[in-house]
Amino acid sequence: MRGRTLYSARTKLRCPPERKPPIQRDVHGNTLGLKQSQLQKLRHTYRRRVGEGEIISPELARHLTEVAAETNRQIGVLLDRKGDVEAVIVGNATKLELPDIGRARAGQVRLRGLRLVHTHLHGEPLTRDDLTDLALLRLDLVAAIAVQPDGLPGSVEWAHLVAENPQNELWHVNRLRQVHDADVGVDKLFSDLEDEFSRAAALRKTDGTERAILVGMSTKGRRVAEESMAELKELARSAGVNILDAIVQGRRDVDPKYLIGRGKLGDLVLRSMQLMASMIIFDADLSPSQARHIGEETSLKIIDRTQLILDIFAQRAQSADGKLQVELAQLKYLLPRLAARDDSLSRLTGGIGGRGPGETKLEIDKRRVRDRISYLEKKIERLSSDRAVRRRSRNRNELPIISIVGYTNAGKSTLLNALTKSEVLVEDKLFATLDPTSRRLRFPRDREVIITDTVGFIRDLPKDLKNAFRATLEELSDADLLLHVVDAADPAWEDHIRAVEGILGELELLQTPRLLVFNKADRAGPEAQALAAREKGVAVSALSKVGLDELLRRADRVLWAEGKADEPAQTEPDQPGPMSEASPGEAPGDEPNPPSLAV
């Protein structure tokens, strides 16, 4: 028994250890129809290496061109920084498709760490698809080897990405006469490029502003799209965004997945890389799925028109009431987009006493958002009741109320300053004024009114924002006269009038007397007077204070001559005198800093 045990042990020692079969590396792409011998040749490609500094070795290049000539198909390899073959790819006679290579090392300041070298059967230069793959995948380089009639390698054309430059070039293309010249020191080239990308990224971080490309799409013609794009530029400027470029596409129908065409999206991705953009702003309201798909394709921050306007309101709102209403609008915008953003649906909570296995994180987030929305709506409703009390107190003073309304950046705050000699903040930006300002304005014959400056309207005002501010919009219902200020120098003034009147109609304020005030007459020239005469309005220049006497005369006639306000007994003729200085105090019954914010 003992001997047999020793014999068995010796036998085991003499037996050679089992060898594991070599790992079989896959050949990717169009392998259908290839012979087993050809597939075996392609698998043997994984055994080859490329030296440091070489684009490709002459031996590997000859191996690829021979197989390409034999199969009449493009053959390519992905090489890492060490010179090892990471993937072997087979295409057809004109192109090949890369396998999924993940996102290792990819980023704005780093390259992929992989280079693509493949054959071109007819010696054609690098194609648009080759260069697009180079940019989108951030490959170290892409090279094409010409296959000569005898199957030997010919010239080599190769390209690599470049850092920011005045010419806005995205890549640089080089050509080598033969494959033996391919030792060009690419290892140092990659290191230098990544250093340049890092320096450029560091400079952008110190700048602190978002770098954005604006994208517009219209099914109503290019003119409409360009007018809307001009407005989007002003919105982006008001939000403090650095605008790099603006792209407009006209289409018959909206693409349900990407809004714009698939090809246009590819061009947009290249342009964003060329300009080193960090954000894309769309001049449309994107659905949650569209925003998600575009974000996946571009790997950039995606903002639509509604989100941009909400961001401006969040920056500018100063009063507590205004901040609450902006938060409510933002949460209503966010709620349907939570599903698109959540990447942790497998995380469950709950336990003993819980409801089944518990709620997913997405359900918890949605419930919290809904609870917050409900709380904000109730709080805003209470503030609305408080404002109603203040309005009743103000109405007991029997002072007429004038509200200045109009398109954003039409000059409403400048007009208030000119009429009352106030110093309300004035900026040449959209939505420079959010919180309303009330002042007393003295008319001739010792008659006073309350005049209120409100935030500007804009076409396609976000629905969530409009609903959130509906409570404060109701304050306009107490106005005895609406001064509708129009920018006479803006070519789209008719569209602006329609947009403002559309919102007034939704608020059931079209029955309130309105007076059109064509502002910026100094810029518009004689056309402003013609417009005012045709539209039965008044042409003024709030900046140079021209035409204000006529404006007061027309307002006086509407408020008193037409019985809109109680008029004290007077015997002298109704001739307005010079405008007096505004009272330093606030309107009777108003708080020193009214918290309401009207849109």
Side-chain angles (χ1 to χ4, degrees):
M1 176 69 72
R2 196 172 188 180
R4 283 200 295 271
T5 304
L6 290 175
Y7 176 78
S8 299
R10 293 192 189 104
T11 304
K12 287 181 181 178
L13 289 174
R14 290 188 190 129
C15 290
E18 279 190 29
R19 291 185 179 180
K20 295 181 180 179
I23 299 174
Q24 190 72 30
R25 305 292 292 272
D26 290 333
V27 177
H28 304 274
N30 182 27
T31 58
L32 188 65
L34 293 181
K35 300 177 182 177
Q36 284 299 320
S37 60
Q38 294 169 338
L39 286 173
Q40 194 64 27
K41 284 183 182 180
L42 290 171
R43 294 190 184 102
H44 288 168
T45 308
Y46 285 103
R47 301 176 179 177
R48 301 178 181 268
R49 293 190 75 251
V50 174
E52 291 184 7
E54 291 182 324
I55 297 175
I56 191 170
S57 64
E59 294 78 16
L60 179 55
R62 180 168 181 170
H63 171 73
L64 295 179
T65 55
E66 287 176 349
V67 178
E70 181 182 345
T71 60
N72 196 34
R73 306 183 191 193
Q74 287 190 8
I75 307 296
V77 290
L78 287 172
L79 301 170
D80 62 16
R81 294 275 176 94
K82 297 178 181 178
D84 295 327
V85 178
E86 287 290 321
V88 178
I89 312 156
V90 181
N92 55 29
T94 57
K95 65 179 181 179
L96 52 79
E97 293 185 5
L98 298 182
D100 183 10
I101 57 177
R103 298 199 57 81
R105 289 182 55 88
Q108 284 196 335
V109 299
R110 304 193 71 179
L111 299 174
R112 177 73 60 171
L114 295 174
R115 75 194 82 161
L116 169 65
V117 184
H118 64 299
T119 59
H120 275 184
L121 296 175
H122 307 292
E124 61 270 24
L126 290 170
T127 65
R128 179 72 177 180
D129 288 341
D130 293 332
L131 297 173
T132 300
D133 287 339
L134 169 69
L136 296 186
L137 299 176
R138 294 191 71 81
L139 298 173
D140 289 354
L141 64 82
V142 61
I145 307 171
V147 179
Q148 298 188 97
D150 56 2
L152 296 177
S155 61
V156 179
E157 187 169 271
W158 64 287
H160 61 84
L161 297 176
V162 294
E164 293 182 66
N165 55 85
Q167 295 77 28
N168 284 332
E169 292 180 348
L170 190 55
W171 48 65
H172 183 65
V173 180
N174 306 274
R175 191 174 185 85
L176 305 174
R177 294 182 59 186
Q178 56 182 353
V179 73
H180 293 279
D181 300 331
D183 190 354
V184 295
V186 292
D187 51 345
K188 186 176 185 305
L189 171 67
F190 302 150
S191 176
D192 292 344
L193 278 177
E194 290 185 335
D195 288 343
E196 291 184 33
F197 292 144
S198 297
R199 283 193 294 269
L203 288 175
R204 287 194 301 275
K205 286 182 180 178
T206 57
D207 181 53
T209 59
E210 294 280 6
R211 298 163 56 88
I213 295 178
L214 311 184
V215 180
M217 195 284 298
S218 176
T219 58
K220 301 178 181 178
R222 191 167 187 86
R223 185 187 67 84
V224 176
E226 288 177 348
E227 288 179 357
S228 185
M229 176 58 69
E231 187 172 271
L232 185 68
K233 288 180 180 178
E234 290 301 312
L235 286 169
R237 188 172 67 89
S238 298
V241 174
N242 181 12
I243 302 172
L244 304 177
D245 197 4
I247 299 172
V248 176
Q249 183 187 36
R251 288 175 57 92
R252 288 186 179 180
D253 302 304
V254 174
D255 188 289
K257 187 173 183 180
Y258 298 112
L259 186 73
I260 57 177
R262 185 68 179 85
K264 189 61 129 180
L265 182 63
D267 294 341
L268 176 61
V269 174
L270 291 178
R271 187 61 174 160
S272 67
M273 296 185 66
Q274 187 178 42
L275 299 177
M276 303 301 285
S278 60
M279 173 190 297
I280 300 177
I281 303 177
F282 282 83
D283 187 22
D285 290 338
L286 299 175
S287 67
S289 63
Q290 285 174 335
R292 183 176 71 254
H293 288 135
I294 297 172
E296 290 171 353
E297 290 291 326
T298 62
S299 299
L300 296 175
K301 188 187 299 183
I302 305 301
I303 302 293
D304 63 11
R305 179 187 171 90
T306 295
Q307 199 168 355
L308 180 61
I309 294 176
L310 289 174
D311 185 72
I312 295 173
F313 272 68
Q315 290 181 33
R316 302 291 174 80
Q318 299 297 323
S319 68
D321 198 0
K323 291 177 181 179
L324 287 176
Q325 292 172 107
V326 170
E327 183 186 357
L328 176 61
Q330 287 177 324
L331 290 176
K332 286 187 174 181
Y333 175 85
L334 173 66
L335 183 59
R337 290 162 174 79
L338 282 177
R341 297 184 181 186
D342 188 86
D343 59 354
S344 53
L345 299 184
S346 61
R347 282 190 283 173
L348 300 178
T349 61
I352 298 174
R355 179 165 52 86
E359 295 176 289
T360 65
K361 184 177 182 300
L362 175 60
E363 289 170 343
I364 293 174
D365 290 342
K366 284 189 173 183
R367 178 165 51 80
R368 287 175 177 169
V369 170
R370 291 191 188 100
D371 291 345
R372 182 65 178 171
I373 288 174
S374 177
Y375 167 78
L376 291 174
E377 287 177 338
K378 291 177 181 178
K379 191 167 184 177
I380 290 173
E381 187 63 31
R382 288 196 300 269
L383 292 173
S384 177
S385 302
D386 295 342
R387 284 192 300 271
V389 173
R390 290 199 300 272
R391 287 201 303 270
R392 286 194 295 270
S393 174
R394 187 170 58 197
N395 292 338
R396 282 197 295 270
N397 291 290
E398 298 181 350
L399 288 178
I401 299 172
I402 298 177
S403 290
I404 304 176
V405 299
Y407 211 76
T408 180
N409 206 28
K412 298 181 295 300
S413 298
T414 307
L415 179 62
L416 178 72
N417 286 341
L419 288 173
T420 63
K421 298 183 181 179
S422 302
E423 294 182 357
V424 175
L425 174 66
V426 173
E427 289 185 89
D428 186 20
K429 292 182 178 180
L430 303 188
F431 301 115
T433 301
L434 285 189
D435 297 301
T437 304
S438 295
R439 294 291 186 268
R440 281 186 294 191
L441 173 62
R442 185 167 297 148
F443 271 71
R445 296 187 291 178
D446 294 329
R447 295 188 294 207
E448 287 187 344
V449 301
I450 298 172
I451 184 166
T452 303
D453 179 27
T454 61
V455 71
F457 296 153
I458 195 170
R459 61 183 154 193
D460 301 326
L461 188 69
K463 181 181 178 183
D464 292 334
L465 190 62
K466 198 184 305 180
N467 291 337
F469 285 93
R470 180 169 292 276
T472 48
L473 288 170
E474 292 170 357
E475 296 236 353
L476 295 176
S477 61
D478 290 329
D480 299 290
L481 173 63
L482 299 178
L483 295 183
H484 182 173
V485 181
V486 182
D487 184 354
D490 195 315
W493 62 269
E494 290 181 288
D495 295 333
H496 294 176
I497 290 178
R498 282 194 291 269
V500 172
E501 291 191 343
I503 296 174
L504 293 176
E506 293 179 16
L507 299 172
E508 300 179 355
L509 295 175
L510 291 179
Q511 302 303 319
T512 303
R514 301 188 306 284
L515 177 59
L516 281 174
V517 182
F518 289 91
N519 191 25
K520 305 184 183 180
D522 51 336
R523 295 187 188 177
E527 295 182 2
Q529 296 291 343
L531 278 177
R534 187 170 72 244
E535 302 294 331
K536 299 180 181 179
V538 183
V540 304
S541 172
L543 193 61
S544 57
K545 300 183 179 180
V546 174
L548 299 185
D549 289 339
E550 176 62 21
L551 172 59
L552 285 176
R553 195 174 294 114
R554 294 283 297 273
D556 183 278
R557 188 179 306 133
V558 173
L559 289 172
W560 284 283
E562 298 180 4
K564 297 301 178 184
D566 294 333
E567 181 181 3
Q570 299 287 346
T571 56
E572 65 270 19
D574 186 14
Q575 293 292 333
M579 179 180 54
S580 64
E581 185 174 346
S583 171
E586 295 295 327
D590 284 351
E591 294 181 352
N593 294 306
S596 59
L597 183 149
V599 178

